[in-house]
Amino acid sequence: MSIQVVSKSRRLRSTIYSSRIEKQGVKSYTIYNHMLLPASFGDTLEDSYNHLKEYVQVWDVAAERQIEIKGKDAYQLVQLMTCRDLSKAKAGKCYYSPIIDENGGMINDPVILKFDDERWWISIADSDLMLFAKGLAIGKTLNVSISEPNVNIMAVQGPKAFNLLEKIFGNEILDLKFYNFKYFNFKNSKHLIARSGWSKQGGVEIYVEDTKSGLELYDLLFEEGKEFNVKPGCPHLIERIEGALLSYGNDMDINDNPLECGLDKFVNLDNDLNFLGKDKLIKIKETGIEKKIMGVKINLDKINLRSTIDLKIDGKIIGEVRSAVYSPTFKKVIGIAMINKPYFLSNHKFDIVVNDKECTGEICNIPFI
Ligand code: THG
């Protein structure tokens, strides 16, 4: 039997919600930004998937840490790190933005929040972005301060999310637009709420700065949510693969560029902005990419992926699957794969060996749904 326990310590940081989710029956954690991120509760993966698609869940996603960039040169530093054009970014908006190195390799894929030109939060995926930002700021002698404030996000996700939120915050919350954020009053405190989240089921993320008030709010969400069948939850492997929400470190890393990751929408090269990797990305765009993230469907009824598995055509490796799960919707395994040129151009069939068993699958477009 494989070992299922990871020992907790200060280094593997708990969140302000940990004691609560442990009472609520969290069954496993993963580690994200050196912090506990719940990975499952008591229900089966399929039950929590059905629940998320029908009701509302509250997630402890405090592991999505904020890196605050403040100071006169804050915009310059943020723009230096991303290939997304933030020159016209507006205060009160969120921007999903690839962070890239000097070769165009993906360092992170955060959501960036703009407060004003001199204050930004970078809501990071699982890599040490703060060190990268500090190195750049020191090297370029930029006038900024960089920190990781004590902000702990809880996400409220699912089709009933706004029914629940309206009960607590009033109908003003219904006017919040996708990827916008605003402060909302709760008792004697205010909380930054963004219409965003790592699911396609709709909802918000509450960036809790006032811990005491945030925990009261957490408890109230469960109290008021009873009529909507609220449950604790966490980012969901099936739901996120079906919706093709990419997972940094799983689906892509520093060896992949944003064009290979299908993030073309967020790669703005036709401008006079100064960001790392720009020349490289311009060249890559001219010559074309050598590999690309695609969907795969595999003729299996279960999989437990812990590392990549090669995909082959006539014995030749044509790519690798990087995330995969059984989908109750497609009644087979679906996954996210990096596929080599020219195989990403059409729906090729491939061979794959899973647990010593040979089987077949085919390449497809994402999102699946
Ligand atoms: N919320 C916040 N911070 C985060 C995440 C989050 N940090 C880590 C991780 N998730 C970052 N990765 C992603 C990946 C995809 C999306 C958000 C964060 C996402 N994409 C939308 C989509 O693909 O449909 C839309 C993006 C857009 O159109 O701008 O939501 O979840 N705070």
Side-chain angles (χ1 to χ4, degrees):
M1 209 180 87
S2 64
I3 296 173
Q4 294 288 348
V5 179
V6 173
S7 299
K8 291 191 209 162
S9 71
R10 175 169 188 257
R11 209 163 40 70
L12 307 186
R13 303 174 290 179
S14 294
T15 89
I16 62 169
Y17 312 109
S18 298
S19 61
R20 278 174 170 70
I21 65 172
E22 284 176 16
K23 281 199 198 104
Q24 291 172 313
V26 65
K27 280 286 181 311
S28 65
Y29 284 116
T30 183
I31 304 292
Y32 196 88
N33 288 319
H34 315 275
M35 199 170 214
L36 299 176
L37 173 64
S40 66
F41 285 79
D43 291 353
T44 65
L45 201 61
E46 202 163 323
D47 284 346
S48 56
Y49 167 83
N50 290 327
H51 181 268
L52 173 60
K53 289 182 66 156
E54 195 169 346
Y55 301 106
V56 51
Q57 297 184 352
V58 178
W59 299 355
D60 168 2
V61 283
E64 295 167 355
R65 302 312 287 166
Q66 305 312 300
I67 305 304
E68 181 172 83
I69 315 277
K70 244 166 78 172
K72 284 260 171 289
D73 297 331
Y75 163 67
Q76 197 186 330
L77 176 58
V78 172
Q79 188 66 76
L80 183 63
M81 294 190 287
T82 181
C83 54
R84 182 163 184 182
D85 181 354
L86 295 179
S87 63
K88 294 179 195 72
K90 293 194 176 69
K93 286 201 175 218
C94 308
Y95 297 88
Y96 178 50
S97 310
I99 303 287
I100 55 173
D101 70 5
E102 78 284 10
N103 297 315
M106 295 283 293
I107 294 274
N108 204 292
D109 71 328
V111 176
I112 299 182
L113 288 74
K114 177 175 178 176
F115 291 88
D116 58 58
D117 274 338
E118 297 189 10
R119 183 168 177 239
W120 303 71
W121 279 357
I122 308 184
S123 185
I124 59 172
D126 186 22
S127 76
D128 294 311
L129 185 93
M130 184 166 71
L131 303 180
F132 185 67
K134 272 183 182 280
L136 287 169
I138 296 165
K140 295 227 175 231
T141 55
L142 296 177
N143 184 356
V144 287
S145 62
I146 301 170
S147 64
E148 188 192 298
N150 184 26
V151 175
N152 295 279
I153 301 182
M154 60 175 137
V156 184
Q157 300 284 297
K160 293 283 185 293
F162 282 93
N163 300 73
L164 171 53
L165 292 159
E166 188 182 4
K167 273 179 83 180
I168 297 177
F169 295 102
N171 55 15
E172 193 195 344
I173 193 115
L174 306 178
D175 298 332
L176 189 64
K177 293 205 178 72
F178 187 63
Y179 265 50
N180 281 28
F181 70 85
K182 228 177 99 173
Y183 278 92
F184 287 84
N185 291 321
F186 174 64
K187 295 188 178 168
N188 292 323
S189 199
K190 55 190 178 54
H191 293 282
L192 190 167
I193 304 186
R195 190 165 191 154
S196 57
W198 214 57
S199 89
K200 292 282 194 183
Q201 305 310 312
V204 302
E205 294 180 297
I206 307 174
Y207 290 66
V208 171
E209 294 163 82
D210 176 343
T211 298
K212 188 163 171 286
S213 171
L215 291 175
E216 267 178 52
L217 175 55
Y218 182 93
D219 293 338
L220 190 65
L221 284 164
F222 283 94
E223 193 51 43
E224 298 288 351
K226 279 180 187 156
E227 63 171 299
F228 307 117
N229 194 15
V230 66
K231 283 192 178 178
C234 47
H236 199 283
L237 188 61
I238 304 174
E239 200 273 345
R240 80 97 181 158
I241 291 183
E242 286 182 350
L245 293 171
L246 298 181
S247 169
Y248 186 81
N250 286 319
D251 304 328
M252 76 288 200
D253 61 28
I254 200 164
N255 301 302
D256 309 309
N257 68 54
L259 299 170
E260 293 168 341
C261 298
L263 298 175
D264 307 49
K265 229 176 27 170
F266 310 113
V267 180
N268 305 134
L269 301 172
D270 194 9
N271 51 50
D272 51 16
L273 301 172
N274 179 26
F275 57 84
L276 295 175
K278 188 176 185 181
D279 296 348
K280 288 277 166 62
L281 287 180
I282 289 172
K283 273 212 184 83
I284 293 165
K285 194 140 193 190
E286 271 168 24
T287 50
I289 49 175
E290 295 294 317
K291 59 190 195 326
K292 187 173 179 200
I293 284 190
M294 297 293 290
V296 287
K297 292 181 187 159
I298 303 172
N299 301 312
L300 275 176
D301 60 7
K302 60 169 180 285
I303 195 163
N304 185 1
L305 204 66
R306 293 195 177 171
S307 55
T308 58
I309 305 180
D310 289 339
L311 309 176
K312 295 185 181 177
I313 293 178
D314 297 331
K316 181 179 165 204
I317 296 174
I318 59 106
E320 60 184 25
V321 58
R322 294 180 169 183
S323 293
V325 71
Y326 176 77
S327 159
T329 307
F330 292 94
K331 308 228 175 322
K332 55 175 69 174
V333 167
I334 61 170
I336 296 184
M338 187 59 90
I339 305 293
N340 301 337
K341 192 175 162 187
Y343 299 94
F344 59 67
L345 294 173
S346 55
N347 297 12
H348 291 277
K349 294 202 172 12
F350 57 77
D351 303 311
I352 179 172
V353 178
V354 180
N355 290 335
D356 300 326
K357 199 178 140 208
E358 289 189 24
C359 52
T360 58
E362 67 176 315
I363 296 166
C364 63
N365 290 319
I366 46 174
F368 291 89
I369 287 180

